[in-house]
Amino acid sequence: MHYLDHAATTAVLPEAAAIACRVMTEQFGNPSSVHRMGIEASGILETARKQVAAILSASPSEVTFTSCGTEATATAIYGACRRKGRGKHIITTAIEHSATLNTVRQLEQEGFEVTYLQPDADGHIAVSDLRDAVRPDTVLLTCMLANNEVGTILPVKEFGKILKKKAPQALFHIDAVQGLARIPIKPKLWNADFISISGHKIGAPKGIGALYIRKGVRIAPLMVGGGQERGMRPGTEATPNIAAFGEACRIRQEQLEDNYARVEALCAQLEAGIAQRFPWAVYNGKHDMPHVVNVSFPGCKSEVLLRVLEMHEVYVSSGSACAKGKASHVLAAMQLGHERIDSALRISFAPSNTPEDVEALLDALEEGTKRLRRE
Ligand code: PLP
């Protein structure tokens, strides 16, 4: 099997799975219980919080565990926008994940005005566009660190600087789900108030995420209940998933540079293979991160090509896993033509991939594209 769809999700690291299993079957106490089992569970929770904080260059008290990246993002966006007596203007980009886009669309229904910064043909968002968009009544800038479909990196450091200068009252949320464990996360340098992350993209199980909330920032939670996570995210903590998330963060942070170099080499191998075997293929976006490569094979419908690749046990995607079957809003915002959008494949690497995976993909692509172009 050659799995090259790690931006959608990735395998749980064996070390993370082992910890989750131990916490589920042996150290299964409720962190709120005052007996020994509870104290042990609370210790597991706080160890994981420190591990997640370390990869975020944050302090543990700035980390709130959530059920996923989507919940972290919703908590930040609703929390920032529903503060009383502030403005009604939100800034985001047209290339955000649906977790962000659908949340701000809901706020639009509630009377907020949203500015959607548009990408250029490479998938980049211009710093000058943000400068023009910030207003005295801006309450929130929410944007991603790295795009999940084309691998571009947004200029979050410059964005943070401009936002805090032109609208000091506004809060800054960064969706770092695709950047986590791939590039360093620097909340202070970026002037970030919130950062969303997700476990299942980095080797933790599905169903765990976290939100960095800068010390001193006060927002209302999405739900009320038992007061867990300092009231920000009530509900008994998912200690098995949380422990696994902490362990995955620890491992991936330790290996960050080595893993980056490994993925960079795989990406270079893919690009060389494409140049040699498919000189007619077109890249979509400038993948600043080597982890995500988006490329169109004109004349070959991606949905059909995906099936051919699957017959060779090669798994890639035609875009975001959350946009199943729909044309990519990211490629559409980049104003790429219909044929290019319709024939786009997203290939996304993890450090566990090998040169053989890339060769298998290239071979399968050769067979698939020959057949489809002939047809
Ligand atoms: N943001 C980005 C950029 C993503 O790629 C994803 C997942 O695909 C999410 C948010 C949502 O994360 P989760 O699946 O944990 O809700």
Side-chain angles (χ1 to χ4, degrees):
M1 200 234 325
H2 305 280
Y3 184 83
L4 293 153
D5 196 16
H6 296 276
T9 195
T10 196
V12 175
L13 292 169
E15 297 89 337
I19 288 197
C21 184
R22 197 180 71 217
V23 175
M24 279 190 273
T25 56
E26 294 170 30
Q27 301 170 302
F28 52 82
N30 186 324
S32 299
S33 297
V34 292
H35 50 62
R36 189 184 60 75
M37 290 289 282
I39 294 165
E40 183 180 55
S42 171
I44 290 167
L45 185 61
E46 294 318 314
T47 299
R49 199 184 307 282
K50 279 189 201 138
Q51 291 167 322
V52 174
I55 204 169
L56 292 176
S57 311
S59 60
S61 64
E62 293 174 311
V63 174
T64 297
F65 288 110
T66 62
S67 65
C68 57
T70 300
E71 187 193 339
T73 290
T75 304
I77 296 179
Y78 286 126
C81 293
R82 289 179 176 159
R83 290 173 304 153
K84 295 233 156 46
R86 318 271 168 153
K88 287 267 181 188
H89 178 232
I90 301 169
I91 304 172
T92 190
T93 83
I95 60 168
E96 295 304 306
H97 187 268
S98 46
T100 295
L101 287 176
N102 287 333
T103 306
V104 298
R105 277 181 199 135
Q106 215 163 63
L107 285 165
E108 252 175 334
Q109 306 283 314
E110 292 176 21
F112 282 82
E113 194 185 331
V114 182
T115 300
Y116 297 90
L117 304 178
Q118 299 298 322
D120 63 16
D122 285 335
H124 287 130
I125 307 282
V127 171
S128 56
D129 286 355
L130 174 74
R131 194 176 290 118
D132 295 343
V134 181
R135 309 190 320 209
D137 64 336
T138 302
V139 276
L140 176 73
L141 164 61
T142 173
C143 74
M144 53 193 2
L145 170 61
N147 183 267
N148 51 308
E149 291 193 38
V150 292
T152 45
I153 295 181
L154 277 73
V156 290
K157 182 177 151 204
E158 290 78 5
F159 278 8
K161 214 188 279 174
I162 291 167
L163 184 75
K164 296 295 166 170
K165 194 162 163 219
K166 288 192 76 183
Q169 78 293 343
L171 295 177
F172 184 19
H173 167 248
I174 299 174
D175 167 1
V177 167
Q178 291 291 341
L180 182 71
R182 294 172 174 175
I183 53 178
I185 308 289
K186 301 179 174 171
K188 309 275 174 318
L189 183 73
W190 300 341
N191 277 298
D193 297 296
F194 307 104
I195 296 180
S196 304
I197 57 172
S198 174
H200 73 99
K201 312 282 185 184
I202 71 155
K206 290 154 191 64
I208 185 66
L211 179 64
Y212 160 89
I213 306 176
R214 183 173 59 78
K215 202 176 260 166
V217 172
R218 294 250 169 284
I219 52 166
L222 287 182
M223 310 183 282
V224 289
Q228 290 91 344
E229 296 297 281
R230 296 174 311 284
M232 271 317 295
R233 209 293 180 168
T236 302
E237 301 88 341
T239 45
N241 282 0
I242 290 172
F245 193 17
E247 179 68 357
C249 285
R250 182 188 71 73
I251 293 172
R252 296 293 296 268
Q253 194 196 4
E254 247 174 48
Q255 301 174 345
L256 197 132
E257 282 176 28
D258 285 353
N259 284 346
Y260 192 95
R262 198 184 290 253
V263 168
E264 211 169 25
L266 294 168
C267 178
Q269 182 193 347
L270 174 68
E271 287 173 335
I274 288 177
Q276 200 194 358
R277 296 161 78 168
F278 316 97
W280 45 273
V282 221
Y283 288 97
N284 302 315
K286 285 250 179 315
H287 46 274
D288 303 314
M289 280 198 323
H291 303 74
V292 179
V293 177
N294 197 309
V295 58
S296 287
F297 296 90
C300 310
K301 260 186 164 311
S302 37
E303 297 308 323
V304 186
L305 193 49
L306 280 184
R307 298 287 157 251
V308 179
L309 298 187
E310 199 179 328
M311 289 191 302
H312 294 265
E313 295 212 51
V314 173
Y315 299 96
V316 299
S317 92
S318 58
S320 162
C322 302
K324 262 188 196 164
K326 281 193 240 146
S328 157
H329 69 280
V330 175
L331 302 187
M334 287 159 62
Q335 313 255 326
L336 308 184
H338 184 68
E339 187 180 11
R340 208 158 137 190
I341 296 177
D342 237 24
S343 59
L345 289 189
R346 177 186 72 177
I347 298 143
S348 52
F349 296 108
S352 55
N353 282 126
T354 62
E356 290 71 41
D357 292 328
V358 177
E359 274 316 302
L361 167 66
L362 290 166
D363 289 345
L365 276 173
E366 188 149 349
E367 195 212 292
T369 55
K370 261 193 197 141
R371 204 162 96 198
L372 296 182
R373 277 166 42 112
R374 215 183 307 122
E375 281 167 14

